[in-house]
Amino acid sequence: MSRQALCIRLAQPGDARAIGVLSRRVVRRWVLPDQPRKIGHELLSRLSARMLRQRILEGQRFYLAYLDEALVGVAAMRDDSHLLHFYVSTRYQGRGIARQLWQCVLQDAIRRAGTHRFTLNATRCAVPVYVRLGFCVDGPERPSPNGVMTTPMSLRLPMQRSKRA
């Protein structure tokens, strides 16, 4: 069996429906069990195609990971420094897709904005994934501004020294 190459690209407004389908599936499976019912319902509504399309049109960067024609991962970054969404299809977890997707997002933020500190708010089940990607826990689990129970995390990269001539 040949190994499929992962293709990562930026989302366009027409991708909003597919992003929503993947995101809601992952959230239902992994995030909602640890959240109050009302908060979970509100979270799912923020992952509607209409809401996602609006965010893309407003300039939020969504990165899509594909294996052949299958969308297997989604990442969204705000201000080239805060990871808002990061989902890999349950069926494709454990294949290194999250690491490859994160490296692409990270490199793009460094290239675009010179970012060296990244932040995110991780749901309980995602904390171990982010630790493996190099993030550190910054505080205890608490409700996010939207009410989702999350753990604040950050990743600081070393500053690159400029090469002298």
Side-chain angles (χ1 to χ4, degrees):
M1 183 171 132
S2 66
R3 187 173 174 101
Q4 296 171 299
L6 189 68
C7 175
I8 300 172
R9 68 170 176 84
L10 285 174
Q12 299 296 318
D15 296 314
R17 183 179 178 282
I19 294 168
V21 168
L22 172 69
S23 300
R24 287 188 305 273
R25 281 184 185 154
V26 173
V27 165
R28 279 188 188 103
R29 168 68 173 91
W30 297 103
V31 177
L32 294 189
D34 293 328
Q35 303 299 325
R37 185 178 178 102
K38 180 182 179 200
I39 298 301
H41 179 71
E42 291 170 3
L43 175 59
L44 289 174
S45 72
R46 288 191 302 273
L47 294 172
S48 71
R50 183 179 57 80
M51 297 287 284
L52 294 167
R53 186 176 302 106
Q54 185 61 38
R55 288 192 200 134
I56 293 167
L57 289 169
E58 291 169 354
Q60 193 171 89
R61 294 175 75 81
F62 281 79
Y63 301 79
L64 308 180
Y66 285 88
L67 286 175
D68 291 329
E69 299 296 316
L71 178 62
V72 298
V74 174
M77 183 75 83
R78 181 181 67 217
D79 300 327
D80 287 311
S81 65
H82 186 77
L83 192 62
L84 291 170
H85 302 288
F86 195 71
Y87 306 117
V88 173
S89 172
T90 302
R91 180 176 169 192
Y92 292 93
Q93 291 176 7
R95 300 184 188 190
I97 292 168
R99 183 167 301 281
Q100 290 178 66
L101 181 56
W102 169 242
Q103 285 301 311
C104 180
V105 172
L106 174 120
Q107 292 303 319
D108 192 42
I110 291 170
R111 180 187 58 78
R112 288 171 40 84
T115 306
H116 286 88
R117 182 174 185 270
F118 296 89
T119 59
L120 60 86
N121 294 308
T123 56
R124 190 173 297 152
C125 66
V127 170
V129 174
Y130 293 123
V131 167
R132 285 193 298 276
L133 293 176
F135 284 82
C136 296
V137 172
D138 287 341
E141 183 180 55
R142 62 180 185 237
S144 72
N146 294 321
V148 177
M149 293 302 295
T150 61
T151 300
M153 300 183 78
S154 66
L155 170 67
R156 293 181 192 275
L157 300 176
M159 296 293 286
Q160 297 291 324
R161 292 186 179 195
S162 61
K163 295 181 180 178
R164 290 192 158 157

